[in-house]
Amino acid sequence: MSDTVLLENREGVSWITINRPDSMNALDPATHEKLRGALQAADVDPDTRAIVLTGAGHKAFCAGGDVKGMVGETSFGGADRVLSVGRDLIDILTRLEKPIIAAVNGVAVGLGATIALMCDITYLADTARIGDRHVNVGLVAGDGGAAIWPMLIGPSRAKEFLMTGRLMPAEEAERIGLVSRSVPAAELLDTVAALAGELAALPPYAVRATKLSINKMMQLQVAQLMDLSLAYEHLSMKSADHQEALQAFLEKRPGTYTGR
């Protein structure tokens, strides 16, 4: 794999690391593609019984899409695609057979939050924060947030966080059931490694079939909502408010929005 996504097998556990720490592990198109490839490779690796997904460094798990690369962009990555490549990634996460644990070592934002929450088990460092800030850059939460957040915490709470773009600390995320557990930052990787080892030691077919049975509900939710939310996001990418939000972000100033 490229050095922007690391894949390593440790005693039956594939560790996948998003490795762009200088960019808060944000996903540019190339890294997006490599992450999908790493997930697929780990799932078919006969020596892998569990997967761990984390981010490099201590600041970020994944800051979502690369905001700087969005300036001037009004599509999902080319006229040859009908749907966003983000749909491919979400589909892979919901259909992986092997159990996958997210070790959220820092902020998880937007698509980064969706990726973490689509994993089977999500552990956050107690110093981490999680949220979906699509609205803060003038976009609809189209890449899976509208599907997974209501499933985990209910529609009312999901709308509060998705419509405000507010980030929540790990303790609150655990308290309301958004994530599995908040773990002291210094213990996160060891705790996740122990859990992955526990899963890897169990009868593999039983673990995978149990996971897939539960994931059927998630697949139905994604199938029902994703195309619509992606279409709305596509429209929002063409708005003047989106470009104003990006410029305001880069210039570190409040945005001025017109609803257009």
Side-chain angles (χ1 to χ4, degrees):
M1 304 304 298
S2 162
D3 61 0
T4 62
V5 175
L6 307 178
L7 174 60
E8 177 187 4
N9 188 287
R10 306 179 197 167
E11 299 179 349
V13 177
S14 279
W15 287 74
I16 299 174
T17 304
I18 305 169
N19 188 37
R20 299 186 72 214
D22 293 341
S23 300
M24 303 287 282
N25 296 321
L27 299 181
D28 60 7
T31 305
H32 203 291
E33 179 69 27
K34 292 177 175 66
L35 177 58
R36 286 163 35 211
L39 290 166
Q40 291 173 313
D43 201 41
V44 299
D45 179 6
D47 296 323
T48 293
R49 290 196 171 188
I51 303 167
V52 173
L53 177 61
T54 192
H58 301 288
K59 292 183 178 180
F61 169 78
C62 176
D66 194 333
V67 173
K68 292 181 180 179
M70 294 180 188
V71 176
E73 182 60 62
T74 60
S75 73
F76 285 124
D80 58 330
R81 288 193 63 95
V82 175
L83 296 176
S84 163
V85 293
R87 175 62 185 267
D88 299 340
L89 181 57
I90 299 307
D91 282 346
I92 289 167
L93 283 167
T94 61
R95 296 183 185 279
L96 289 174
E97 290 199 1
K98 295 172 183 174
I100 179 168
I101 308 162
V104 181
N105 51 302
V107 291
V109 180
L111 179 58
T114 299
I115 291 168
L117 298 176
M118 287 284 184
C119 291
D120 301 315
I121 301 169
T122 306
Y123 280 11
L124 263 65
D126 59 0
T127 54
R129 295 187 298 161
I130 188 167
D132 194 313
R133 293 181 62 79
H134 275 78
V135 296
N136 302 89
V137 290
L139 292 178
V140 173
D143 57 15
I148 191 64
W149 282 69
M151 194 185 309
L152 295 172
I153 59 174
S156 180
R157 277 179 168 160
K159 284 185 281 189
E160 177 183 355
F161 287 101
L162 293 177
M163 292 193 301
T164 64
R166 192 182 306 151
L167 298 179
M168 76 176 78
E171 182 180 352
E172 182 180 2
E174 178 186 12
R175 178 180 60 79
I176 68 175
L178 184 69
V179 302
S180 308
R181 190 180 299 181
S182 170
V183 179
E187 302 172 13
L188 176 67
L189 295 184
D190 287 343
T191 302
V192 168
L195 175 59
E198 180 181 355
L199 290 169
L202 291 167
Y205 181 84
V207 171
R208 295 173 197 172
T210 297
K211 164 192 168 150
L212 290 176
S213 298
I214 299 169
N215 267 27
K216 182 58 67 176
M217 175 179 61
M218 184 184 298
Q219 291 165 10
L220 291 172
Q221 184 89 333
V222 167
Q224 185 175 25
L225 295 178
M226 278 288 287
D227 290 350
L228 176 63
S229 61
L230 283 169
Y232 283 152
E233 184 178 7
H234 185 81
L235 289 173
S236 66
M237 289 185 74
K238 300 177 182 297
S239 69
D241 278 354
H242 171 51
Q243 293 302 320
E244 165 63 10
L246 294 178
Q247 289 298 332
F249 173 84
L250 296 176
E251 296 168 12
K252 296 180 171 57
R253 60 171 174 82
T256 302
Y257 305 116
T258 64
R260 298 180 180 178

